[in-house]
Amino acid sequence: MAHDQKKSVLTEQQVAQPTSSKNTLTINDNRTGKQYEIPIENDTIRAMDLRQIKVKDDDFGMMTYDPAFMNTASCKSKITFIDGDKGILRYRGYPIEQLAEKGNYLETAYLIINGELPTKSQFEDWTDNIMKHTLIHENIKKFMDGFHYDAHPMGMLVSTVGALSTFYTDAKNIKDPATRRLQIYRLVGKMPTLAAFAFRHSVGRPYVYPDNDLSYAGNFLNMLWKMTEVKYKVNPVLERALDVLFILHADHEQNCSANAMRSVGSSHVDPYSATAAASAALYGPLHGGANAEVLYMLDEIGSKANIPAFIKTVKEGKGKLMGFGHRIYKNYDPRAKIIKQLADEVFEVTGRNPKLDIALELERIALEDEYFVKRKLYPNVDFYSGLIYQAMGFPVEMFPVLFAIGRTSGWVAQWEELLMDAEQKIARPRQVYLGHGTRDYIMMGKR
Ligand code: ACO
């Protein structure tokens, strides 16, 4: 069992019972012959406890070196649990499968942010407060207009969500719970509007204002696709599918963008600026951009007949099977399973995405191939999501934008948890300095 994958989310009850009554780690420093006993809490040692390990009294003390945080828990969290070996994902203890089947996105957002599922009246208040904040200031529209016609919608989203901080200057008051709550309503409420406006700008269509008679996902679809009709009719299957996709993307513990949200938020900046940073992290192809890569790959393969040759090139190290493999999941990504089922429902409405057959065959062949089996490479969330988005009419550039809408609830939950955590301070890693020692300045003419 890969303990390192679970450290950040283990609760006290879940930690394996020690075989001896002593919950400590003994370290022998072979440089000095000294021994240190370090407490273990939640299957973890505190890096600061290593600082006492020194050769000389005036040494700085021992640190850990962990590029990319491969084995470092940066926080204690009660939001999301992942067991990568078993393919388990839970928000606040609730399995993702149950939330996707029985819940809806705003209810899930409430759960993630508040810790419990809402009662009927709590849900109504919550929905009302979020939907009340879907409108954006008219000047934001002017910012949108300033972007070039082919600007990437994710670039527009990153910029405009950051710009919200200049409209809501009260947001700086991050220590006040009521102020924080208001910004959370605004952020969850306005992200779909910013996303839809960015899309409309990129296709040269007039902006459609929010319609709060519609659901969260339905309103988003209306803002995207409404043309000259008086009332756009939202397709209930697509509305539900999008809502489920938002649920599946709502949080994923300390991923790259959540870490950006926490790291930037730890400076006590307003949440719009921190969300802009998190969105920027998500923009990267290694994070929110992989589902687009899957589509490019399926295009390149072209037909089922070409799959064996493609797999051969992957095994020769000439490229990756995009949408396969995950840093945490060494089993089928539970989100990918749900998306695969959802695809059938969506394709009944939109018509089958012809790339699905290639994807299904690719998955079948890869899951039987020793290369992938040995390395525990399974489909991840991105393997099928792009096929659905494309069938629904979204251009590839919108894929990370859709991800950002769903993930906003996770980002703000992570941000608030950080602010409430008395142990947290401004995020400031250490480094191992390997550069020059001190040296004297040389005048330019003498270099
Ligand atoms: N296709 C072929 N081989 C792969 C793949 C893949 N998709 N993923 C990993 N491998 C191989 C590696 O080459 C390596 O082989 P080796 O041991 O012979 O050197 C082994 O499996 C282990 O892979 P790592 O790269 O060490 O795994 P890591 O945890 O660093 O990477 C990652 C995870 C980045 C997701 C990787 O699997 C990958 O690039 N997948 C394709 C891109 C993708 O789908 N990304 C989306 C992730 S989900 C998300 O972010 C929302």
Side-chain angles (χ1 to χ4, degrees), residues 128-264:
D128 188 47
N129 276 316
I130 287 173
M131 297 310 283
K132 248 194 329 231
H133 286 97
T134 48
L135 264 183
I136 53 176
H137 195 285
E138 286 293 291
N139 285 358
I140 293 276
K141 262 175 42 187
K142 293 187 194 147
F143 292 161
M144 289 281 178
D145 287 340
F147 287 107
H148 206 43
Y149 72 94
D150 60 354
H152 197 293
M154 194 63 179
M156 290 191 248
L157 183 76
V158 170
S159 319
T160 48
V161 75
L164 290 181
S165 73
T166 64
F167 292 85
Y168 306 114
T169 47
D170 57 329
K172 287 188 183 354
N173 190 7
I174 56 151
K175 295 207 168 123
D176 176 45
T179 309
R180 281 202 307 273
R181 183 50 43 140
L182 179 58
Q183 314 319 314
I184 288 174
Y185 293 145
R186 285 174 172 155
L187 269 163
V188 178
K190 290 179 203 307
M191 280 299 256
T193 314
L194 295 176
F197 279 30
F199 171 71
R200 298 289 288 206
H201 176 77
S202 69
V203 289
R205 291 186 195 149
Y207 306 118
V208 178
Y209 284 73
D211 177 346
N212 290 357
D213 283 347
L214 300 170
S215 70
Y216 189 76
N219 170 54
F220 180 52
L221 288 170
N222 180 57
M223 290 189 291
L224 288 166
W225 308 122
K226 186 177 184 304
M227 297 298 278
T228 51
E229 65 275 47
V230 177
K231 197 89 183 158
Y232 171 81
K233 257 185 98 59
V234 178
N235 182 298
V237 176
L238 302 187
E239 180 182 12
R240 174 69 190 151
L242 195 59
D243 202 61
V244 171
L245 286 159
F246 288 157
I247 294 174
L248 300 182
H249 287 90
D251 194 52
H252 213 230
E253 51 122 310
Q254 304 312 311
N255 58 86
C256 180
S257 57
N259 183 54
M261 184 84 191
R262 280 180 175 261
S263 188
V264 173

Side-chain angles (χ1 to χ4, degrees), residues 286-287 290 314 320-327 330 371-372 375 377 380-382 403:
L286 293 186
H287 191 8
V314 169
K320 289 256 167 81
L321 175 49
M322 298 311 289
F324 259 64
H326 198 277
R327 172 64 59 78
K330 300 301 167 199
Y371 175 96
F372 297 93
R375 290 171 178 76
L377 300 171
N380 60 48
V381 67
D382 292 322
F403 194 152

